[in-house]
Amino acid sequence: MDRNIIHQQFLNRFGGAEGSFYMAPGRINLIGEHTDYNGGFVFPGAVSQGIMAEVRPNGTRWVRAYAIDLKHYCEFDIDDDQGPESVHFRYIYGVVRLLMANGVKVEGFDAVYAGDVPIAAGMSSSAALECCFGMALNDLFQGNLDRMQLALIGQAAEHNFVGVKCGIMDQFISMHGRAGSLVCLDCRSGEFEYLPWRPKDYRLVLINSCVKHELVGSPYNDRRNSCERVAQTLGIESLRDCNWDMLNKVKEKVSEEDYMRARYVVGEVDRVMEVKAALQRDDYETVGQQMYLTHEGLSKDYEVSCEEIDFLVDEARRHGVTGSRIMGGGFGGCTINLVRNEIYDSFVTEVPLAFKEKFGVECQVIPVVIGDGAKKLFKI
Ligand code: GLA
């Protein structure tokens, strides 16, 4: 993300005075996948990659926005009930409309933005986009909404304007991230705790399979529906409240597929707690074992992995990596790997070679740096 490049484009397109700059990050998630919409716990951290935007009110009712990376320009009237067709700009339109619905007096604005979160890699580039604009417009139009309200607006934009029934994890962490810390969030109560992430002997690294995951109109919503059906059959609010006994009893009453989905979630809710306890005693080996178990569940029961990702996890295991699993919504994207320092270099050198040999395409190594949540950037 280069502020000068953004500003140059801004000047070329719109001229005039400098706008204000905002950024919001993507995220990693140590463990707790597909637990957020089941009322469970998640363990994310913001990353140093994100979306940066220069924004300036333009005194009209029109939004004019240019996405540098996509080379897409879009204009829309904020009072128009339909909004733009392009999915990408619907994230921004959704945020604008929901801010207005929440009483923020949004007016027209010009914006240029760019990012370095890989798109469709499971690192939440869409949440970064929603949160960047939520942050910017709330600030520029004196909305006084707090970070949690802005996160909920981002999530609702995704539900109502894009059609992905996502949980709250991505927008929450994009708003609440803190450099050097992971956050354990209870997605039901909204309570959260920062936990410093400072393993001496280990590092986190992502390997992006570059298989594009597309959550829009995808089986993501089907997974959520399965979970809700099982919870409903059990007469509980969400699978967070389901234990193994309850799950056994409901087995005959739900489809085999719904049962498998629920079995994964019940296990994952427990694993997050195991990991939290393990982290408190610096027991990274247990953290890693739980990550592998998560992957097994996501691959076999939740069925959100793919051949390329399973290969990356197998390779990690073969190299003696402490923990590895698919990260995020699934259907491609990245693995997250907890790697001991002494094998780090060989792992990140050899796995891409093996991947290239097997699939004929490159994967991408992304070292993890835990960064801050959304913010306004001030003049230096
Ligand atoms: C996507 C969603 C999140 C969460 C993850 C899976 O990133 O946006 O809400 O459900 O998938 O853990």
Side-chain angles (χ1 to χ4, degrees):
M1 286 182 296
D2 187 329
R3 200 164 157 158
N4 293 324
I5 294 178
I6 294 176
H7 185 55
Q8 200 49 55
Q9 283 285 343
F10 192 87
L11 274 186
N12 293 347
R13 290 191 168 260
F14 307 121
E18 192 179 7
S20 304
F21 281 83
Y22 302 84
M23 73 73 67
R27 58 116 187 83
I28 54 129
N29 184 26
L30 185 62
I31 199 149
E33 222 63 271
H34 293 274
T35 45
D36 55 358
Y37 54 81
N38 284 299
F41 293 84
V42 290
F43 227 115
V47 289
S48 54
Q49 295 90 339
I51 303 262
M52 191 191 287
E54 181 171 0
V55 188
R56 187 184 60 201
N58 61 20
T60 72
R61 303 294 289 167
W62 281 80
V63 171
R64 304 190 291 176
Y66 181 63
I68 293 182
D69 310 303
L70 305 176
K71 299 192 176 62
H72 277 180
Y73 175 76
C74 178
E75 291 184 354
F76 60 85
D77 175 349
I78 60 173
D79 300 313
D80 173 20
D81 292 336
Q82 301 303 317
E85 269 173 27
S86 148
V87 170
H88 182 78
F89 289 105
R90 291 194 70 73
Y91 292 108
I92 301 175
Y93 172 72
V95 168
V96 167
R97 297 288 286 190
L98 287 160
L99 285 168
M100 290 164 77
N102 279 274
V104 182
K105 297 197 168 27
V106 180
E107 290 177 24
F109 58 88
D110 297 334
V112 170
Y113 59 97
D116 54 2
V117 200
I119 291 179
M123 291 178 71
S124 295
S125 56
S126 52
L129 182 62
E130 293 146 15
C131 292
C132 185
F133 277 88
M135 189 79 194
L137 304 177
N138 184 52
D139 181 56
L140 289 168
F141 299 108
Q142 286 97 42
N144 286 324
L145 299 181
D146 64 26
R147 285 177 181 266
M148 196 55 121
Q149 288 172 302
L150 293 173
L152 288 165
I153 282 178
Q155 181 195 25
E158 205 139 335
H159 283 203
N160 303 335
F161 293 85
V162 182
V164 179
K165 301 282 180 202
C166 61
I168 190 61
M169 168 167 73
D170 304 352
Q171 294 81 7
F172 166 84
I173 194 64
S174 188
M175 279 293 169
H176 294 85
R178 185 182 284 174
S181 287
L182 299 180
V183 185
C184 186
L185 167 70
D186 178 335
C187 298
R188 176 180 284 168
S189 69
E191 279 168 25
F192 58 95
E193 199 182 328
Y194 289 95
L195 289 113
W197 174 253
R198 47 176 176 229
K200 258 195 350 282
D201 304 323
Y202 302 81
R203 264 184 269 178
L204 282 175
V205 63
L206 307 181
I207 312 255
N208 185 1
S209 66
C210 299
V211 175
K212 290 273 183 241
H213 89 160
E214 193 52 84
L215 296 188
V216 177
S218 81
Y220 179 93
N221 290 351
D222 299 341
R223 302 300 183 282
R224 184 172 182 153
N225 291 337
S226 285
C227 296
E228 288 174 359
R229 273 195 297 272
V230 178
Q232 204 179 17
T233 310
L234 281 163
I236 54 178
E237 185 193 323
S238 62
L239 288 182
R240 152 92 173 264
D241 297 322
C242 179
N243 59 32
W244 294 109
D245 275 352
M246 292 160 80
L247 188 65
N248 275 334
K249 286 194 190 119
V250 87
K251 190 169 179 187
E252 306 307 324
K253 296 191 193 141
V254 297
S255 71
E256 171 68 17
E257 189 177 274
D258 286 0
Y259 173 75
M260 278 159 57
R261 307 295 189 241
R263 179 166 66 192
Y264 160 75
V265 172
V266 173
E268 185 72 352
V269 169
D270 289 349
R271 281 189 287 274
V272 185
M273 291 297 102
E274 287 262 351
V275 161
K276 188 175 176 202
L279 278 182
Q280 273 153 355
R281 47 176 204 272
D282 285 336
D283 174 3
Y284 294 97
E285 293 301 313
T286 298
V287 174
Q289 283 157 16
Q290 298 299 316
M291 291 168 74
Y292 278 119
L293 289 174
T294 293
H295 185 73
E296 213 173 292
L298 285 171
S299 178
K300 303 217 171 81
D301 277 353
Y302 224 60
E303 297 180 299
V304 293
S305 188
C306 59
E307 194 193 346
E308 291 85 346
I309 292 279
D310 286 344
F311 175 82
L312 288 173
V313 172
D314 287 346
E315 279 293 295
R317 206 189 293 270
R318 213 170 57 75
H319 275 79
V321 164
T322 307
S324 178
R325 65 178 193 79
I326 188 171
M327 187 182 78
F331 315 104
C334 293
T335 59
I336 178 165
N337 303 275
L338 178 63
V339 191
R340 284 190 78 86
N341 291 339
E342 57 264 34
I343 63 164
Y344 185 87
D345 288 341
S346 62
F347 176 64
V348 299
T349 319
E350 287 164 24
V351 169
L353 298 176
F355 191 87
K356 177 90 199 266
E357 193 176 313
K358 171 103 178 151
F359 298 108
V361 289
E362 310 278 344
C363 63
Q364 189 190 7
V365 173
I366 309 176
V368 173
V369 178
I370 309 288
D372 279 325
K375 57 185 163 193
K376 182 172 188 172
L377 303 170
F378 291 93
K379 295 200 166 71
I380 314 149

